[in-house]
């Protein structure tokens, strides 16, 4: 993992996260759930706000991830809970540079 000068951190090669897949990554002790939804990359806080369940281990279908512990569903594009947007998870900026997926943590996760 390499930090860049603009706070983006290289996590893994784009080839390691094909469309339809997801995985968790560790950024300095903060776990992030990373998804490739039809070729677009999204990254959210891995901890479900309900009970801290690992969102990265949940099933993601059409950009909606379901927490494996209690079934809460979140839109990985917005971080909002499906059917109750008062509950959210933090979203990270994601980009690809030189074939590497890079993530920038939002202030609330730093």
């Amino acid at each position: 993992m390499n930090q860049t000068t603009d706070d983006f951190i290289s996590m893994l090669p784009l080839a390691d996260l094909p469309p339809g897949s997801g995985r968790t990554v560790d950024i300095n002790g903060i776990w992030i759930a990373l998804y490739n939804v039809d070729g677009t990359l999204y990254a959210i806080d891995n901890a479900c706000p309900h009970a801290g369940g690992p969102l990265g281990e949940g099933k993601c279908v059409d950009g909606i991830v379901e927490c494996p512990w209690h079934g809460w569903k979140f839109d990985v594009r917005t971080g909002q809970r499906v059917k109750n947007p008062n509950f959210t998870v933090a979203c990270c900026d994601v980009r690809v540079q030189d074939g590497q997926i890079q993530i920038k943590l939002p202030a609330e996760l730093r």
Side-chain angles (χ1 to χ4, degrees):
M1 168 173 56
N2 298 320
Q3 184 107 18
T4 62
T5 57
D6 55 3
D7 293 328
F8 277 87
I9 301 168
S10 293
M11 299 308 305
L12 61 138
L14 178 59
D16 288 356
L17 192 73
S21 67
R23 67 186 297 173
T24 54
V25 293
D26 177 7
I27 300 177
N28 302 323
I30 299 167
W31 287 96
I32 300 297
L34 180 61
Y35 303 96
N36 184 331
V37 179
D38 298 325
T40 303
L41 303 175
Y42 300 96
I44 60 173
D45 185 0
N46 189 53
C48 178
H50 174 235
L55 293 175
E57 293 178 18
K59 185 176 182 180
C60 185
V61 177
D62 297 327
I64 305 297
V65 64
E66 182 175 347
C67 180
W69 286 6
H70 300 108
W72 282 31
K73 295 180 181 180
F74 294 88
D75 188 323
V76 301
R77 297 166 287 242
T78 64
Q80 292 181 333
R81 182 175 177 210
V82 174
K83 298 184 181 177
N84 188 347
N86 293 320
F87 290 93
T88 61
V89 290
C91 294
C92 306
D93 291 334
V94 183
R95 71 181 184 191
V96 177
Q97 194 165 56
D98 299 324
Q100 292 288 312
I101 298 172
Q102 297 181 338
I103 298 173
K104 181 178 182 178
L105 290 176
E108 64 262 33
L109 292 179
R110 287 187 228 160

